[in-house]
Amino acid sequence: MAAPERPLRADARRNRDRLVAEATAAFAAADDTVPLEDIARRAGVGIGTLYRHFPTREALVEAVYATELDEITRSAAALLEQLPPDAALRAWMNRYARFVELKRGLVDTLRAGWASGRIATSTTRERVTSAIATILTAGAASGVFRADTEPDDVTALLLGVFLSTGPDRDRAQVARLLDLVLDSLRPSARP
């Protein structure tokens, strides 16, 4: 039986969190591979500290991806507490669009890690669909969304928007397409 992992000391947790934050920013901004030394320097730590937390590039990419996915899926309920369901879904779609932008910078490393088994197989679609379902259920109950909408259909629509617009996409076009997705969820005035 493996020994349970000890919780990180406060300073080690801060270093890890800074590394993930800097890696997130670096991966999102980069057109090419980001040297790990640059990430360590931006986080204010040495390369040894980076490797102590993340022994491989894949481990760092997985941590960035998991952190971002956790934030995007958790945000659905938080947005519903602050906004009506239709505004919450539109705000959530904007966050998801930013997540997809980040993911594009990580996709090669993620695919290689998933294929090799070094990174656990992703449950992204299921988690995203669950977040969408949370908002759709609230919207259907309040009458702002159709009650017959399948959450996985909305996930498919969003993926279609992001795949069709490509990495060099026009953000105004993405915004228009997301507005169309949102409008398609509203109840029809037809009998």
Side-chain angles (χ1 to χ4, degrees):
M1 184 169 155
E5 284 188 38
R6 292 185 334 208
L8 293 175
R9 295 183 331 258
D11 61 328
R13 167 58 62 196
R14 280 190 304 272
N15 286 342
R16 185 187 189 288
D17 291 347
R18 277 197 319 264
L19 285 163
V20 170
E22 290 300 332
T24 300
F27 292 147
D31 292 331
D32 202 3
T33 302
V34 179
L36 296 181
E37 293 81 4
D38 290 355
I39 293 169
R41 186 174 52 260
R42 289 178 189 179
V45 300
I47 192 67
T49 299
L50 184 145
Y51 281 116
R52 212 172 5 267
H53 290 284
F54 308 105
T56 65
R57 174 176 294 279
E58 290 87 0
L60 179 58
V61 166
E62 183 178 24
V64 166
Y65 183 78
T67 299
E68 290 294 306
L69 182 59
D70 289 346
E71 289 175 12
I72 191 72
T73 55
R74 270 196 312 261
S75 70
L79 287 167
L80 273 174
E81 291 175 6
Q82 303 165 15
L83 302 167
D86 53 346
L89 182 58
R90 189 60 178 86
W92 186 88
M93 288 190 299
N94 288 338
R95 290 182 181 190
Y96 186 52
R98 287 190 302 274
F99 171 75
V100 170
E101 278 184 38
L102 169 71
K103 187 176 166 185
R104 287 178 200 241
L106 306 176
V107 75
D108 291 338
T109 303
L110 286 169
R111 281 188 185 141
W114 288 329
S116 70
R118 289 188 306 263
I119 297 177
T121 303
S122 177
T123 59
T124 302
R125 186 172 181 131
E126 294 84 6
R127 293 180 64 195
V128 165
T129 300
S130 177
I132 291 169
T134 298
I135 300 173
L136 289 179
T137 300
S142 70
V144 298
F145 292 143
R146 297 168 35 173
D148 64 343
T149 303
E150 292 293 329
D152 193 56
D153 293 345
V154 177
T155 302
L157 284 169
L158 293 176
L159 292 173
V161 167
F162 301 133
L163 291 172
S164 68
T165 52
D168 298 323
R169 65 185 196 239
D170 172 11
R171 288 181 185 215
Q173 181 187 30
V174 171
R176 289 190 309 272
L177 292 170
L178 293 178
D179 286 342
L180 287 171
V181 169
L182 187 63
D183 288 345
S184 74
L185 303 174
R186 298 184 193 283
S188 174
R190 294 177 294 165

